[in-house]
Amino acid sequence: MLNRLGAATIVDSPVNIEDYIDFIKSLGMGYIEIRTEKNLASPQDLTDSDIKRIREKILSCRLIPIVHASFYDINIASLNILPRKASIEQIKICIEFAAKIGSSLVVTHAGSISKDYSQKYVEIGHNNTINSLKEIVAFAEKKDIIVGLENKQHSNDNYEMVEHFKEHLDFIKIINSPNLKVIFDVGHANINNMIEVDMREYIYKLKDYLVEMHVHDNLGTIDEHLALGKGNVKYLEAIKTVEELGLKIPVVLELKSMEDIKKSVQNLLSSECFKK
């Protein structure tokens, strides 16, 4: 199962992208998720030769690339039309980047609305996300790219468009495209009052659309992205459920340091589901 394990790049990485790719390969993992943010892989900062070099490095290390579309300052649910249009265009740029490096999957978020607004504006935000996804997915279809919609954690400041599997399913069914799938973030789900709830329900409800799982730890209150074993996230339960269903999907670590990635890989390798 180690070859289905991967790790996302660190936003403030202490090493360059090529050294980071070597690091992931050295741990025996099979996937690398590239966050398209400043420092490592912001598409607008990369030349064609930079992109070619990244692609060749990934190929030489025999890793499967996943691209996480930009998420800082990005909001496809925005009530303001110009920021929303800019967010759509930025995600399209990330889709083009994915195609150039040989990735078939781009992860994105559904957006949010400030809780300074009353509840009635959530429906407007929901409709904005639908219209944004229609445009994004139509673009991805032309590039033969899958768009993976990720669930977000509960926030005291914002109404997140996807916190629960019902919202996840709602967008999938409305868009109704084979190019829109689901990314299940176990750590985010843990913050959404799911500590006492079996993770199995979320996975079973989304199993027909699930293409990747994000794994990190927290204490159930804020999105800490701790090393595995440092919080109370039931990540092993989630991994076991995916295995029981026979879903051969990547399990990607989203952590804050290379040391935490090493420790988390060791944690997983010592667990029963990785000893099989």
Side-chain angles (χ1 to χ4, degrees), residues 124-160:
I124 297 173
H126 181 269
N127 289 334
N128 286 347
T129 295
I130 290 170
N131 291 329
S132 298
L133 284 174
K134 284 179 179 177
E135 186 173 342
I136 290 164
V137 172
F139 184 80
E141 287 172 351
K142 295 175 184 176
K143 301 288 183 179
D144 200 24
I145 299 287
I146 297 294
V147 175
L149 190 64
E150 179 182 350
N151 59 302
K152 286 287 287 174
Q153 72 277 7
H154 179 77
S155 167
N156 292 326
D157 300 318
N158 299 311
Y159 298 106
E160 294 291 343

Side-chain angles (χ1 to χ4, degrees), residues 69-70 74 76 86-95 108 136:
S70 308
I74 301 298
I76 65 172
S87 296
I88 293 169
E89 289 308 310
Q90 182 64 27
I91 293 169
K92 287 181 180 179
I93 288 169
C94 296
I95 289 170
T108 194
I136 290 164

Side-chain angles (χ1 to χ4, degrees), residues 35-46 70 90 97:
R35 290 170 169 169
T36 51
E37 305 291 352
K38 287 289 184 181
N39 187 25
L40 275 189
S42 174
Q44 289 97 323
D45 295 340
L46 300 172
S70 308
Q90 182 64 27
F97 171 71

Side-chain angles (χ1 to χ4, degrees), residues 179-242:
N179 287 67
L180 182 63
K181 301 294 184 182
V182 165
I183 310 295
F184 178 46
D185 190 303
V186 178
H188 292 168
N190 192 60
I191 298 167
N192 298 343
N193 301 314
M194 291 182 68
I195 296 174
E196 301 302 326
V197 177
D198 196 332
M199 289 278 183
R200 294 166 64 89
E201 182 182 21
Y202 206 120
I203 295 169
Y204 266 84
K205 294 289 185 181
L206 296 170
K207 62 183 174 61
D208 294 334
Y209 311 102
L210 193 60
V211 292
E212 182 192 349
M213 190 157 64
H214 284 168
V215 179
H216 47 96
D217 218 335
N218 60 63
L219 294 168
T221 54
I222 60 173
D223 193 24
E224 298 164 284
H225 285 258
L226 301 175
L228 301 187
K230 297 296 183 180
N232 56 23
V233 174
K234 296 180 180 179
Y235 54 88
L236 289 179
E237 179 180 315
I239 292 171
K240 287 175 183 176
T241 303
V242 165

